[in-house]
Amino acid sequence: MHVRDLAQYLAELAENNNRAWFVMNKPRYDILRAEFLEMTTRLIAGITRFDPAVAACNPKKALFRINRDLRFARDPKPYKTHFSAAITASGLKKPSQGGGPAYYFHVDETGQLLIAGGEYMPPPDRLRQIRRQVIADADGFSAMLKNRKLRAAYGDLQTEGKLTRPPKGFDADTPHADYIRHKSFIVWNERSVAGMTGDEMERIVLENFRDAQALVQWLRTVPGDSQGEMAPSRN
């Protein structure tokens, strides 16, 4: 993966987010997309060594499209300004598809690499199931939160917003009441890709995915068919 070329391309796309520029630079996009797919394929193989559940994940389906869905968007820009992928046991990405807890990463137009694991903004039914499992498996949830690798790489569970009080049906004095107010069950960290080689980025992403495994594994214990999605995907 030519990391510097990818960051440069995304920065230029952010400045020229229109179809004419995209078409003119399509050969660059095709090369970078192919490299990103190759890296994702290797990452799936790497994850499989410590989490065999993702072995069947199709790397082509793990990648997010560059085109934005403009049907309900206020922002008319047609293209995303990041390359991203979500690796799940089901091989699916989106909450509506039942993708499940995932290992996620992206590189954006500012040259930032984001690495994440867990479920980002799962649908209401799935979120309710997760919250119930926090109570039903309070000891297991506590053990996951204390996982040494998870805490060293990410700290505590993160959220992009949570309820001011416990949701309906949950008491304020219930175990892990603060976490029950979360709308997402995710961890993530970010770093600059400046000066980073493709091999270095691949190694860093894989190491951080391994560190996020405790959360991903715990989320798989949550009952129910709908498995939600992970991490801040910006899709």
Side-chain angles (χ1 to χ4, degrees):
M1 180 86 242
H2 291 84
V3 180
R4 184 177 63 179
D5 292 348
L6 175 58
Q8 180 64 34
Y9 171 83
L10 292 171
E12 292 179 26
L13 176 59
E15 293 293 325
N16 305 275
N17 201 326
N18 59 75
R19 178 168 172 74
W21 187 92
F22 186 83
V23 171
M24 286 288 291
N25 289 270
K26 185 67 159 48
R28 295 171 64 193
Y29 168 79
D30 289 340
I31 292 171
L32 292 167
R33 177 83 172 184
E35 291 181 349
F36 197 75
L37 175 60
E38 289 173 1
M39 184 171 67
T40 301
T41 302
R42 291 192 298 270
L43 285 170
I44 292 172
I47 296 169
T48 301
R49 290 196 287 270
F50 59 82
D51 187 355
V54 307
C57 182
N58 184 333
K60 290 184 178 179
K61 293 185 177 180
L63 268 60
F64 287 91
R65 298 170 66 247
I66 193 74
N67 301 78
R68 296 181 62 243
D69 185 351
L70 300 178
R71 289 175 297 174
F72 307 105
R74 295 181 179 180
D75 184 350
K77 295 184 180 67
Y79 304 108
K80 303 168 191 172
T81 54
H82 60 279
F83 274 29
S84 56
I87 299 167
T88 68
S90 68
L92 304 173
K93 300 186 293 287
K94 298 181 180 297
S96 59
Q97 296 174 328
Y103 303 98
Y104 171 89
F105 75 107
H106 75 227
V107 178
D108 69 17
E109 73 280 6
T110 67
Q112 289 293 304
L113 167 64
L114 182 145
I115 308 168
E119 297 191 38
Y120 175 70
M121 299 294 284
D125 288 347
R126 172 62 179 174
L127 182 57
R128 191 175 305 111
Q129 290 165 347
I130 295 173
R131 287 167 170 165
R132 288 172 176 168
Q133 185 70 353
V134 170
I135 298 172
D137 184 30
D139 290 342
F141 187 74
S142 293
M144 179 272 293
L145 293 175
K146 295 175 183 176
N147 181 272
R148 180 176 56 82
K149 291 184 178 180
L150 184 74
R151 295 201 69 86
Y154 301 100
D156 201 357
L157 297 191
Q158 294 129 304
T159 182
E160 291 187 330
K162 62 182 179 180
L163 302 175
T164 56
R165 56 178 60 87
K168 185 177 180 180
F170 295 89
D171 297 329
D173 59 352
T174 196
H176 302 299
D178 184 60
Y179 292 100
I180 287 173
R181 294 191 286 121
H182 282 214
K183 298 178 182 179
S184 298
F185 285 77
I186 53 174
V187 291
W188 78 82
N189 59 42
E190 292 182 275
R191 71 203 70 207
S192 172
V193 300
M196 191 181 291
T197 67
D199 288 344
E200 288 172 337
M201 183 165 75
E202 189 173 322
R203 174 183 56 78
I204 290 168
V205 171
L206 186 59
E207 288 176 353
N208 279 263
F209 281 168
R210 186 183 292 109
D211 295 336
Q213 183 189 10
L215 173 58
V216 172
Q217 294 282 31
W218 183 85
L219 285 166
R220 290 187 187 143
T221 71
V222 178
D225 296 329
S226 177
Q227 293 290 314
E229 194 192 9
M230 58 80 252
S233 66
R234 297 179 55 191
N235 66 333

